[in-house]
Amino acid sequence: MIATENALAHLAALITYPDDGYLERLRDCGVTLARENPTASETLQPFIEYSAKLDAPGLEEFYTRTFDINPVCCLEVGWQLYGEEYERGSFMVKMRKALRETGLRESTELPDHLCHVLPLLDRLDPVDAAGLANACVLPALDKMIAGFAGKDNPFERVLKTIRSVTQDQYSAISGGNPNG
């Protein structure tokens, strides 16, 4: 089983808007996964190969087209679970508080974005992390992945890899519902 800190931190970096270091982070993630979780590495490999063929503007355009223009595939956990309902606001407040309490800094993304939620899992008590993963993150990932059906988009591989690593890490741990 891959160490959460290594895998989820690397994977969270792959679902942020691409910058100059994106391809290097992608390669680092591939190396870490190949060493610690070969099955997840195999799932991610086609995305690594596809991304290596793109230049920086191409990666940025691909990311924007995939996640920012297509709300079905947006990366905000709360939106996937609650849409625009009141509960999403409450969920975001809880995520912002948890980020602050665990010393994680927010980026320009909302606090319920996967790039924040994945590193948060590593900082939480294991039972609380399992509760968040099983009640929120995995169901949201399932909805995100379903949004890729029939689209042949390589980013689907990233989300499937995140789902696999998260499930491997947290499915065996019993956790409470973090929304309660």
Side-chain angles (χ1 to χ4, degrees):
M1 185 180 314
I2 193 163
T4 305
E5 182 175 11
N6 291 332
L8 294 180
H10 281 294
L11 290 167
L14 302 185
I15 52 168
T16 60
Y17 188 78
D19 59 13
D20 291 337
Y22 187 84
L23 288 176
E24 183 178 339
R25 288 192 307 274
L26 179 56
R27 283 190 293 275
D28 289 348
C29 185
V31 168
T32 299
L33 286 174
R35 182 180 62 244
E36 299 183 27
N37 190 326
T39 302
S41 176
E42 288 176 26
T43 301
L44 188 63
Q45 192 58 42
F47 178 77
I48 294 171
E49 293 167 7
Y50 177 84
S51 297
K53 297 174 188 172
L54 299 176
D55 59 6
L59 275 169
E60 292 168 2
E61 191 270 333
F62 178 50
Y63 180 93
T64 299
R65 206 171 9 101
T66 300
F67 297 116
D68 295 343
I69 295 175
N70 186 1
V72 174
C73 298
C74 83
L75 295 168
E76 285 85 15
V77 172
W79 190 90
Q80 292 292 344
L81 297 175
Y82 307 111
E84 294 300 327
E85 299 297 321
Y86 173 80
E87 290 85 358
R88 180 178 183 211
S90 178
F91 182 76
M92 285 198 304
V93 167
K94 289 177 185 178
M95 291 298 96
R96 180 164 282 137
K97 180 180 180 208
L99 291 171
R100 191 172 36 250
E101 288 175 350
T102 58
L104 291 168
R105 295 179 58 197
E106 283 185 60
S107 67
T108 57
E109 301 293 350
L110 294 170
D112 64 337
H113 192 283
L114 271 177
C115 73
H116 296 304
V117 176
L118 294 176
L120 177 63
L121 291 173
D122 184 53
R123 302 265 182 113
L124 293 174
D125 169 83
V127 172
D128 292 339
L132 177 61
N134 291 309
C136 301
V137 177
L138 291 171
L141 283 165
D142 288 340
K143 289 182 89 172
M144 292 173 200
I145 292 166
F148 282 100
K151 293 187 174 129
D152 194 31
N153 184 313
F155 265 113
E156 179 180 12
R157 297 289 193 144
V158 176
L159 294 179
K160 285 183 174 181
T161 302
I162 291 170
R163 192 195 190 296
S164 172
V165 170
T166 303
Q167 183 171 358
D168 287 352
Q169 187 67 34
Y170 295 109
S171 64
I173 302 172
S174 175
N177 185 343
N179 295 317

